[in-house]
Amino acid sequence: MAGYAPGPGGRNLDVTILVTGGAGFIGANFIHDWIAATGETAVNLDALTYAGNLESLEALAGDPRHVFVRGDIGDRALVERLLGEHRPRAIVHFAAESHVDRSIHGPGTFVQTNVNGTFELLEAARGYWSPLPGPDRARFRFLHVSTDEVYGTLRPGEPAFTEEHRHLPNSPYAASKAASDHLVRAWHHTYGLPVVTTNCSNNYGPYQFPEKLIPLMIVNGLAGKPLPVYGDGMQVRDWLYVRDHCSAIREVLERGRIGETYNVGGWNEKPNIEIVHTICSLLDELRPDPAGSHARLVTHVADRPGHDRRYAIDARKLERELGWRPAETFESGIRKTVRWYLDNADWVRNVQTGSYRAWLDQNYGHREHA
Ligand code: NAD
Ligand code: DAU
């Protein structure tokens, strides 16, 4: 474990944070939101996997408040060097393998990044934080961004997940995120590392890679391709506009209680099939297709193995303690999102590379129609 002396002249921690995974969907939105809201610098450590995309940060090109570093959270020497050089007052940890279907096809990278990577990051953070002088040590935070999927699945009518719900993960992705939650908790309990964890529901909005439900339906709909609905399409998710997730993270970072977890959700439970039909209606309105309504493209395909039936987040703790509520309704958020994909055809085109097409073949090529 490396130690760090105070910076030149024993100066206090800079007004800088280290963001991991800031070239991904939520991370990129967070960096835009963070710089606009605080004016502080964000050092962005991202390995640029298939899901990382610097085009999502193009608007910050040349802005000294965004410092991009390509690298792996599992590279402890690199993380130690970045912490020593930049002396951040917080780490906001987004970097992960995040797609459930990919975790079913290849769970190894999920364990590697989400579990081992988080372990290495925690150790680097501990080495940096432990010898900090009193006020800096008190101010430092490690914010771990996690998911509602760690809680497992709910039956219809069951109360939404609270922070007291047991971890009962069902997919390799969810299990790897649950493991990372446990590591973060233990680093606080054992070593006193000042951590806070957020467990959030399904996000949607600009810059989401079109392997996830909402952007996939938009880009397929625009291309006149089938809209693949797993099984009966009655699985329920609780949707949150991504910028609302970003504002929740800012609140938790500034005022969340150390060692606590906070659920973040949109109070927006909807079955998948309803989401798909809403997108079809918006496309019909905003980009009508002479061949007919986009709903004609809806195609039920074989279900995801182990598919969780329902997630729902009880976000009352966050409201009670920090006064946070989502600003966006689903109706306003989904309209903004569809418009964003219509207005950003270049971004969409550039992510649809050979590896994206290979993924579509792997995930959808052998799915029988349901
Ligand atoms: P994403 O897949 O869009 O982005 C992940 C980013 O992490 C990419 O930029 C990728 O290059 C980077 N990355 C992957 N492995 C890395 C490594 N080893 N080192 C450094 N960088 C690495 O994911 P997202 O949807 O933006 O999710 C971000 C976080 O939020 C994840 O931890 C996810 O579990 C969590 N989360 C996501 C949602 C959601 O609906 N998308 C909901 C709740 C929680
Ligand atoms: O709940 C939070 C989680 O939400 C995050 O932790 C994950 O990182 C994020 O990927 C998301 O997981 P889901 O599995 O819920 O998201 P996805 O967009 O993959 O799927 C949403 C629902 O839509 C799910 O019930 C599966 C279904 N689906 C998905 C795809 C890609 C389809 O019916 N067809 C599809 O083609």
Side-chain angles (χ1 to χ4, degrees), residues 15-16 83 103 133 136-137 157 179 233 255 258 280 293 304 308 357:
V15 278
T16 296
L83 292 171
S103 83
D136 289 348
R137 206 162 180 272
R255 298 188 292 122
I258 291 174
C280 289
S293 168
R304 172 186 279 176
D308 283 338
R357 284 194 293 276

Side-chain angles (χ1 to χ4, degrees), residues 81-108:
R81 180 170 67 70
L82 291 176
L83 292 171
E85 276 173 13
H86 294 281
R87 302 179 50 72
R89 67 178 181 90
I91 297 174
V92 183
H93 177 33
F94 293 98
E97 288 294 333
S98 71
H99 190 32
V100 173
D101 292 318
R102 286 186 192 255
S103 83
I104 295 166
H105 289 283

Side-chain angles (χ1 to χ4, degrees), residues 339-361:
R339 275 195 193 282
W340 187 88
Y341 280 88
L342 292 177
D343 293 344
N344 290 274
D346 286 348
W347 185 95
V348 173
R349 194 174 316 109
N350 292 343
V351 297
Q352 292 177 310
T353 59
S355 69
Y356 177 70
R357 284 194 293 276
W359 162 251
L360 294 184
D361 279 349

Side-chain angles (χ1 to χ4, degrees), residues 220-279:
N220 277 16
L222 284 172
K225 291 185 181 163
L227 307 178
V229 173
Y230 296 163
D232 63 3
M234 290 307 291
Q235 305 83 4
V236 171
R237 298 292 183 265
D238 178 352
W239 294 95
L240 179 70
Y241 191 66
V242 63
R243 284 299 185 108
D244 279 328
H245 189 186
C246 296
S247 70
I249 290 173
R250 267 195 283 114
E251 292 296 339
V252 173
L253 190 58
E254 294 315 316
R255 298 188 292 122
R257 286 185 292 135
I258 291 174
E260 292 290 314
T261 65
Y262 292 89
N263 282 353
V264 188
W267 302 104
N268 248 318
E269 277 188 68
K270 291 194 189 298
N272 295 335
I273 193 73
E274 190 181 320
I275 300 286
V276 174
H277 280 290
T278 301
I279 292 168

